[in-house]
Amino acid sequence: MTTATIPDPWPAPRAAAPVRATVALPGSKSMTNRALVLAALAEGPSVVRRALRSRDTLLMAGALSALGSTLDTSGDDWTVTPGWSSADTAVDCGLAGTVMRFVPPVAGLAGGRISFDGDPHMRTRPIGTVLDALRDLGVAVEGDALPFTVAGSGAVTGGRVVVDASSSSQFVSALLLAGARYDRGVEVLHRGAPVPSLPHIEMTVEMLRAQGVAVDTHEPDRWGVEPGPVKPVDLVVEPDLSNAAPFLALAAVTGGAVTVRDWPEHTTQAGDALRDILARMGCTVERTAEGLTVTGPDRLAGLDVDLRDVGELTPAVAALCALADGPSRLRGVAHIRHHETDRLVALATELAGLGADVEEHDDGLSLRPATLHGGVFHTYADHRMAHAGVIVGAAVDDVLVEDVATTSKTFTDFAPFWAGLFQG
């Protein structure tokens, strides 16, 4: 079974008994795409092992190929040979925020005019902060939103730049990743409300340092990258821990036990916060020889939590809270209004459509116990919304998830894989 044969809307499987399963997840999208960018900037050929094969990562591979690198994505381990093109070319961002934000700072180092565009939904996502920063650093940019064009000159002056990254940590990561190849490096200062999703910046910094790049982080809201070479990448990509959310949630809502294999002992991935979140909701969480095992409780507790640093988990956590026996308050995630869709509006609308007692706030959601029922759960071309829909569907009869195939953004053939966990 493949995504081509999946009906739309898709009948989400309903668990008839506690689900017990062990799953091996695809690699981290965040790590894969950062590694590919660094490999394209490196001094020599690189290998990204156990790379995630998904729409987002293939779009990144296509973008870096357009700029002149040679990528072989045919196997589990992807190879990258860096190079630069002087030809005019186009980059398809699709729905990948990492492509739209991480590639323009690299494009300034190429030699041609690089035009960027993407899916209609992507045209509403913020990018102006990165483009303004690039102009300040000496890059010629035409436009302030998709579609836009970067006129590469083969070199970027770099230096100091002030940004407001309060709507996305990717604004900072984008500039840091390419900064070592700029003549003066880059110094990024944030001015504004707190930066969300800080673990993603920590991941960027850690991966840069692993490639021999000097990064100064001793002051809050300031990151400095020294100019210099980037060592070739040889990285084993961790499992995507944010993609673990629906699978671990399946144990939580069915009273079952799900093990995610190869859960890392140390990680900068935001998904690692699932261990604490699920424990607070009453689950038993333990490391085993295989990985991380979550066992669901008889009754799921409500939750009051600030998700600012791990906003991508909000859809899955909101779905769990809609099924909990107590009230919940999710806060600190105003920035997820600018993700693939306005996730707060989308979650409030779709959960309420299934009977949830949910209230939208400027920075989050409140949920109170209610009896849920079936219906169509719309996804807004957002893979995390699809995750929320299937979580509810595991505990509620007759939930239909619209466009479940959008999960291919980070997990090819998610739907048949998910359905297979309910067999028997």
Side-chain angles (χ1 to χ4, degrees):
M1 184 177 186
T2 67
T3 51
T5 64
I6 292 172
D8 188 19
W10 183 62
R14 170 73 157 91
V19 174
R20 301 185 181 280
T22 298
V23 299
L25 295 179
S28 163
K29 178 197 73 173
S30 297
M31 293 189 71
T32 298
N33 275 355
R34 282 166 172 78
L36 292 176
V37 170
L38 290 172
L41 295 167
E43 293 181 289
S46 296
V47 59
V48 181
R49 305 182 189 279
R50 298 185 191 173
L52 169 66
R53 180 178 301 279
S54 72
R55 188 185 182 209
D56 273 23
T57 58
L58 291 172
L59 285 167
M60 180 62 83
L64 297 173
S65 295
L67 297 184
S69 291
T70 301
L71 289 89
D72 182 351
T73 62
S74 59
D76 292 338
D77 300 340
W78 294 7
T79 60
V80 182
T81 303
W84 297 105
S85 171
S86 59
D88 294 349
T89 190
V91 168
D92 177 12
C93 301
L95 277 172
T98 50
V99 176
M100 180 178 69
R101 292 164 181 157
F102 292 0
V103 177
V106 180
L109 295 163
R113 289 173 56 83
I114 301 95
S115 59
F116 290 77
D117 204 354
D119 292 4
H121 279 278
M122 182 57 83
R123 293 184 174 185
T124 67
R125 297 188 68 181
I127 182 60
T129 298
V130 173
L131 302 183
D132 287 342
L134 290 177
R135 293 185 181 101
D136 291 343
L137 294 170
V139 180
V141 181
E142 300 169 11
D144 298 305
L146 281 179
F148 61 84
T149 299
V150 174
S153 62
V156 176
T157 303
R160 187 174 188 265
V161 67
V162 178
V163 302
D164 181 352
S166 57
S167 62
S168 176
S169 66
Q170 288 182 358
F171 298 163
V172 175
S173 288
L175 300 169
L176 300 184
L177 284 167
R181 294 299 304 271
Y182 292 176
D183 295 343
R184 295 166 49 197
V186 71
E187 179 186 9
V188 181
L189 289 85
H190 163 68
R191 296 290 183 265
V195 179
S197 304
L198 281 174
H200 286 286
I201 298 179
E202 293 168 4
M203 176 186 292
T204 299
V205 170
E206 186 172 281
M207 293 180 70
L208 281 164
R209 287 173 173 162
Q211 302 317 124
V213 177
V215 187
D216 181 356
T217 59
H218 76 276
E219 296 178 28
D221 292 336
R222 178 192 171 277
W223 301 265
V225 173
E226 294 294 322
V230 178
K231 294 193 304 184
V233 174
D234 189 342
L235 172 74
V236 178
V237 176
E238 297 173 0
D240 192 320
L241 304 189
S242 293
N243 262 348
F247 299 100
L248 297 180
L250 187 57
V253 301
T254 69
V258 172
T259 298
V260 173
R261 294 184 57 188
D262 302 321
W263 197 280
E265 288 285 340
H266 165 75
T267 183
T268 53
Q269 289 193 62
D272 195 45
L274 288 166
R275 295 186 296 127
D276 176 65
I277 290 168
L278 291 169
R280 291 171 62 181
M281 298 191 77
C283 297
T284 300
V285 181
E286 59 182 338
R287 291 188 181 276
T288 67
E290 286 188 286
L292 185 80
T293 299
V294 169
T295 304
D298 293 332
R299 300 176 63 186
L300 201 59
L303 182 70
D304 188 329
V305 64
D306 188 323
L307 296 174
R308 179 183 305 277
D309 285 342
V310 293
E312 66 205 60
L313 303 180
T314 304
V317 175
L320 286 172
C321 292
L323 297 165
D325 283 348
S328 297
R329 175 69 164 92
L330 310 181
R331 60 185 81 246
V333 287
H335 61 284
I336 71 171
R337 295 185 183 278
H338 306 291
H339 284 192
E340 282 80 345
T341 187
D342 183 332
R343 284 179 172 166
L344 294 180
V345 170
L347 286 166
T349 300
E350 299 308 315
L351 290 173
L354 300 182
D357 184 351
V358 55
E359 180 182 357
E360 178 189 343
H361 304 285
D362 288 345
D363 76 332
L365 301 169
S366 292
L367 299 104
R368 291 162 291 274
T371 300
L372 274 59
H373 55 72
V376 177
F377 190 96
H378 299 91
T379 62
Y380 308 84
D382 186 337
H383 59 141
R384 304 293 183 201
M385 287 295 296
H387 291 169
V390 300
I391 291 168
V392 175
V396 177
D397 290 329
D398 302 322
V399 172
L400 303 172
V401 179
E402 173 261 345
D403 189 22
V404 73
T406 193
T407 51
S408 66
K409 177 180 174 72
T410 54
F411 194 134
T412 302
D413 285 342
F414 170 87
F417 186 91
W418 179 263
L421 301 177
F422 294 75
Q423 295 175 0

